[in-house]
Amino acid sequence: MTILKMDPAEYSVSAEYLSLMLDVLARRGIASEELLSGTQIEPGCWRDPKARVSAQDFERVAVRAIRMTGEPWIGWELGASMTLSSHGFLGYAAMSSATLGDALELAVKYFRTRSTMVQLETFLEGDMAVMQVNELLSLGGLTPLTMESLFSSFHFMGQKLLPGMEVLGELRFSYPEPEYFERMRPLMPVPVYFDCAYNQMRFPAERMDYPLQFADPRLARMAADQCEQEMATIKAPPALLGQVRRIILAGGGRFPSVEEVASELHMSSRTLKRKLQQLGTSYQEILDGLRKGLAVEFLTQSDHTVDEIAMSLGYSDASNFARAFRRWTSRSPSDYRQ
């Protein structure tokens, strides 16, 4: 397996998303000049559909937007403000697809045209379909805004493509529940869980076969062709974070060391640590995040005892697991389950 070398500075997002953010902030009286100050972003660049903004600059603007508005929940509004055209040719390709499953397949295949900061993945788990968003670059404090805007966007676009469809499913987020979410929870049409192993939108698998009201095979082919052309101009980032997570989870309860994971990736542990550091994380952070997420899912969605959960996560006894869980969530496993 070859890991492509890529400078974290090369990770990017479509400038159309930046334009949307600036519009939302303009309605609050915040000038774009204030938001773009100190970045390498050329004002008006978003008028070019192919323009992109570096991940570093996008993060600077997003963090500044949250600070200036005092609204850390603004990702939900950003997502609700997105139209199908906000996603460029990918939006048109998805809109004109025959079924919801076809639209999601295109979204996964061509999402690089919209962002190289995250990657989409879809799969079936029992009778549920899962849309999972994987970080290609550790997003840190930008994770809530990114995930909430994406899932909000998916929800509202789904309503446009399948009008009148009953909203069923759940949302899972990998980060702790934000303080602001307590007042938002009553507005959510589906259950929402935090501190999970992955960021996911789940819904009944049967809906993958639902026909879309704007289905147009000719337009779908034309839009997909445009996406192919865009893909050829955008360097694909290595999915190193996802590869490390998959190797860790493949142990079936036995969590490998960083040396073992590095060996699976055909590199030294020193090289793996350096690459993860470049991406803003570490092996221990990834391991702790997965253990925390699995623990939360066991506690909230199973009848396993704390002792059984501790053993399944590789802890020698429940007390060691409880200490780690309290470090991750500031709560004991028994308190979390209540």
Side-chain angles (χ1 to χ4, degrees):
M1 184 182 300
T2 301
I3 304 297
L4 299 177
K5 293 183 178 180
M6 186 171 183
D7 189 322
E10 295 182 72
Y11 289 75
S12 63
V13 62
S14 168
E16 291 180 87
Y17 294 147
L18 172 68
S19 176
L20 178 69
M21 184 183 296
L22 295 179
D23 287 344
V24 170
L25 272 292
R27 292 197 289 269
R28 289 163 169 76
I30 300 174
S32 60
E33 291 78 11
E34 295 182 79
L35 292 164
L36 301 182
S37 176
T39 71
Q40 300 298 312
I41 300 171
E42 290 291 331
C45 68
W46 44 85
R47 298 190 186 96
D48 178 359
K50 296 181 180 179
R52 300 182 73 82
V53 176
S54 73
Q56 290 97 328
D57 277 342
F58 188 80
E59 180 179 14
R60 289 188 187 101
V61 174
V63 170
R64 190 172 292 164
I66 292 173
R67 186 182 71 248
M68 295 177 73
T69 60
E71 301 173 3
W73 56 83
I74 200 169
W76 294 104
E77 181 178 345
L78 288 172
S81 300
M82 290 184 191
T83 63
L84 288 163
S85 62
S86 300
H87 298 287
F89 285 110
L90 176 55
Y92 292 115
M95 174 188 71
S96 53
S97 295
T99 67
L100 179 60
D102 292 337
L104 294 180
E105 183 179 345
L106 288 176
V108 170
K109 183 176 182 179
Y110 296 122
F111 196 73
R112 192 167 86 226
T113 64
R114 313 315 298 159
S115 174
T116 54
M117 295 166 62
V118 297
Q119 178 186 58
L120 301 187
E121 178 182 2
T122 58
F123 55 91
L124 299 180
E125 196 168 282
D127 60 355
M128 300 296 284
V130 181
M131 167 66 82
Q132 182 167 295
V133 182
N134 301 316
E135 295 180 32
L136 295 175
L137 183 70
S138 182
L139 299 175
L142 195 59
T143 305
L145 182 144
T146 302
M147 300 304 165
E148 290 166 13
S149 62
L150 280 174
F151 286 145
S152 176
S153 170
F154 295 158
H155 166 72
F156 285 103
M157 284 192 295
Q159 288 191 318
K160 292 173 184 174
L161 295 175
L162 295 166
M165 180 182 65
E166 183 182 5
V167 180
L168 297 172
E170 65 182 46
L171 294 179
R172 297 184 182 183
F173 294 109
S174 63
Y175 48 90
E177 180 173 332
E179 290 184 8
Y180 59 80
F181 195 76
E182 183 176 354
R183 59 180 175 175
M184 296 187 64
R185 190 177 289 276
L187 304 176
M188 293 294 109
V190 296
V192 181
Y193 302 97
F194 292 91
D195 286 315
C196 296
Y198 289 99
N199 296 289
Q200 299 176 337
M201 171 182 277
R202 292 170 168 256
F203 55 91
E206 62 178 355
R207 294 190 171 177
M208 296 287 273
D209 297 322
Y210 281 20
L212 303 186
Q213 71 164 344
F214 301 120
D216 184 333
R218 181 172 172 274
L219 178 58
R221 285 195 299 273
M222 291 174 59
D225 288 344
Q226 289 293 328
C227 289
E228 285 284 359
Q229 292 180 33
E230 288 185 37
M231 289 277 281
T233 67
I234 302 170
K235 187 174 180 180
L240 181 60
L241 299 185
Q243 292 168 336
V244 171
R245 291 188 181 104
R246 279 191 287 272
I247 293 172
I248 291 173
L249 292 175
R254 177 193 169 277
F255 294 92
S257 66
V258 64
E259 289 78 15
E260 291 173 306
V261 172
S263 178
E264 284 280 331
L265 294 169
H266 306 291
M267 64 177 73
S268 68
S269 59
R270 182 177 180 180
T271 298
L272 176 58
K273 290 176 182 177
R274 175 175 54 80
K275 287 179 177 289
L276 292 176
Q277 184 179 32
Q278 288 178 337
L279 295 174
T281 188
S282 68
Y283 179 76
Q284 192 61 50
E285 286 182 15
I286 295 174
L287 178 60
D288 285 347
L290 287 174
R291 278 177 156 173
K292 178 192 73 174
L294 292 171
V296 167
E297 291 182 20
F298 281 135
L299 288 167
T300 59
Q301 301 176 42
S302 80
D303 296 326
H304 294 323
T305 66
V306 172
D307 283 334
E308 290 171 337
I309 295 173
M311 290 185 62
S312 68
L313 295 177
Y315 288 93
S316 56
D317 57 62
S319 60
N320 287 335
F321 164 62
R323 280 194 291 272
F325 192 83
R326 191 173 287 107
R327 186 175 70 251
W328 298 329
T329 66
S330 300
R331 297 167 64 182
S332 70
S334 56
D335 287 342
Y336 203 99
R337 175 166 262 172
Q338 292 177 356

